[in-house]
Amino acid sequence: MIDELVEQLRDRPLIDHHVHGAWLSDGDRSRFENALNEGSTDPLPGWDSGFDNQLGFAIRAHCAPVLDLEPHAAADAYWQRRTSLGEAEVARRFLSAAGVSDWLVDTGFPGETCEPEELAALSGAHDHRVIRLESLAEQAIADSANYAEAFPALLEATITQEQAVGMKTVAAYRTGFDLDWSEPAAGSVVEAAARWRDSGGRRLTDPVLINFGIRSALALQKRRGGLPLQFHVGFGDRDEDLHRTDPLLLLPLLREFADASICLLHCYPFERQAGYLAQAFAGVYLDVGLAINYLGARSPSLIARSLEVAPFGKLLYSSDAYGPAELHLLGAHLWRSGTAQVLSHFVERGEWSTTDALRVAGMIGSENARRLYRL
Ligand SMILES: [Zn+2]
């Protein structure tokens, strides 16, 4: 049963609805190993190896064969082979092996990673852009003395110009979700913008302006249709106060915008709370991307938890890959194998039919995203 499902899922292209660029230029081993730790951006201590965790083991198991190595190749052999091929060839192999038809790329986190067009060209897939609110806010404050009008105008102009299919907020990193979500008075937006500008207008952390940005995005979504708003939720680096990113803290906002299209990204370790919100609000969707890669051999348990109370039409696939293209492939591979494992267990116990299992896998893998983002 599980083999049949794995085979069926392997042939079906995925829509990766939240991803970043891949590296194309060569780097050293510490860059690579640091990229296998989401929580810390510090260099690893000398005694530790970036490979000695679930993600590192999953890379050696599932990525090594794509580089012509045996599964579970040793870390040193893996690194040597990777280096001899070069980052661009490594990226080409992993991206084309991922079986993704559409990449929805968050371009708001600049770094050494490639552009959405390069991701598409290397994998023979389509690329689409997602606009990050806080990066745009930081441009708007620099260019205009009239922020309250300038930000919504810049947001709409950017969406049109980039033909973006969605928007994203990193409020989780900037303020957390325990905000006063009530509508800020016009005067308080103007005052907060003036304060921010006077302090140099760099990284946006003002709760009034974070709330204003999200409300501007939801107003635009209502007017134009489509354009779901993605929220980073849960698992991330330690800059974030993880305990303040429980998505239940979004309840006041979700009650006010009960029909808005909102995607809760990653969600770990709050995937059950996110699943409940997806049941409670017509427009709320979730994925368990990023954490699937980090849980490696334990990722089927996370996929199983995402299939508890959330309606099946509200689940999405993402890798949240950034940097090494192993992550773009591994997200897809572990999602396919974990989903096949969880669903085949339902079928074997007589709870689900094979037809239903395949239908739900198709919904999560691509159909829900195609409908939601109007691809
Ligand atoms: Zn991301």
Side-chain angles (χ1 to χ4, degrees), residues 21-36:
W23 291 329
L24 298 184
S25 52
D26 295 340
D28 62 17
R29 185 163 172 171
S30 65
R31 179 183 76 161
F32 179 72
E33 293 202 10
N34 278 319
L36 309 185

Side-chain angles (χ1 to χ4, degrees), residues 48-92:
D48 201 2
S49 160
F51 284 93
D52 277 347
N53 48 54
Q54 287 285 9
L55 172 55
F57 276 36
I59 286 175
R60 287 172 43 224
H62 305 296
C63 298
V66 183
L67 304 185
D68 315 313
L69 299 166
E70 290 297 316
H72 313 292
D76 286 348
Y78 188 88
W79 175 252
Q80 274 165 23
R81 177 64 182 154
R82 207 183 184 286
T83 307
S84 73
L85 288 169
E87 198 73 43
E89 171 61 12
V90 164
R92 190 194 63 74

Side-chain angles (χ1 to χ4, degrees), residues 254 262 264 271-286 309-311 313-315:
L254 298 177
I262 286 177
L264 306 175
E271 64 275 1
R272 283 183 158 139
Q273 287 89 329
Y276 163 73
L277 292 172
Q279 179 179 112
F281 293 94
V284 172
Y285 288 70
L286 75 141
V309 298
K314 314 295 279 303
L315 291 160

Side-chain angles (χ1 to χ4, degrees), residues 39-258:
S40 168
T41 50
D42 285 351
L44 287 170
W47 54 263
D48 201 2
S49 160
F51 284 93
D52 277 347
N53 48 54
Q54 287 285 9
L55 172 55
F57 276 36
I59 286 175
R60 287 172 43 224
H62 305 296
C63 298
V66 183
L67 304 185
D68 315 313
L69 299 166
E70 290 297 316
H72 313 292
D76 286 348
Y78 188 88
W79 175 252
Q80 274 165 23
R81 177 64 182 154
R82 207 183 184 286
T83 307
S84 73
L85 288 169
E87 198 73 43
E89 171 61 12
V90 164
R92 190 194 63 74
R93 290 190 183 202
F94 287 127
L95 293 173
S96 54
V100 167
S101 66
D102 296 79
W103 307 100
L104 275 59
V105 187
D106 170 6
T107 52
F109 189 53
E112 312 168 65
T113 55
C114 71
E115 292 298 316
E117 299 76 26
E118 293 172 290
L119 211 54
L122 286 164
S123 57
H126 304 284
D127 63 288
H128 312 272
R129 286 172 185 251
V130 173
I131 303 301
R132 194 184 279 212
L133 302 182
E134 291 76 17
S135 312
L136 219 54
E138 286 151 16
Q139 285 176 40
I141 197 76
D143 295 344
S144 170
N146 190 7
Y147 179 81
E149 270 92 58
F151 173 74
L154 181 63
L155 177 61
E156 180 154 26
T158 307
I159 294 227
T160 303
Q161 189 189 329
E162 310 234 328
Q163 298 179 295
V165 297
M167 303 174 284
K168 174 175 179 200
T169 173
V170 287
Y173 275 99
R174 305 303 181 86
T175 54
F177 296 153
D178 48 348
L179 294 187
D180 174 3
W181 286 111
S182 57
E183 183 170 8
S188 68
V189 174
V190 171
E191 277 168 32
R195 249 192 334 265
W196 184 29
R197 189 179 307 107
D198 293 346
S199 70
R202 279 186 276 278
R203 195 169 183 270
L204 174 59
T205 54
D206 184 287
V208 171
L209 299 182
I210 293 282
N211 183 7
F212 173 73
I214 288 169
R215 287 168 167 274
S216 303
L218 294 177
L220 179 65
Q221 179 190 94
K222 186 163 189 173
R223 193 150 49 76
R224 297 251 309 232
L227 299 174
L229 177 60
Q230 304 174 340
F231 280 71
H232 173 103
V233 174
F235 197 37
D237 79 47
R238 69 190 192 199
D239 276 359
E240 162 191 270
D241 293 337
L242 183 64
H243 60 289
R244 300 174 69 204
T245 67
D246 183 331
L248 292 177
L249 294 165
L250 296 171
L251 269 169
L253 185 75
L254 298 177
R255 288 193 183 111
E256 183 182 342
F257 294 91

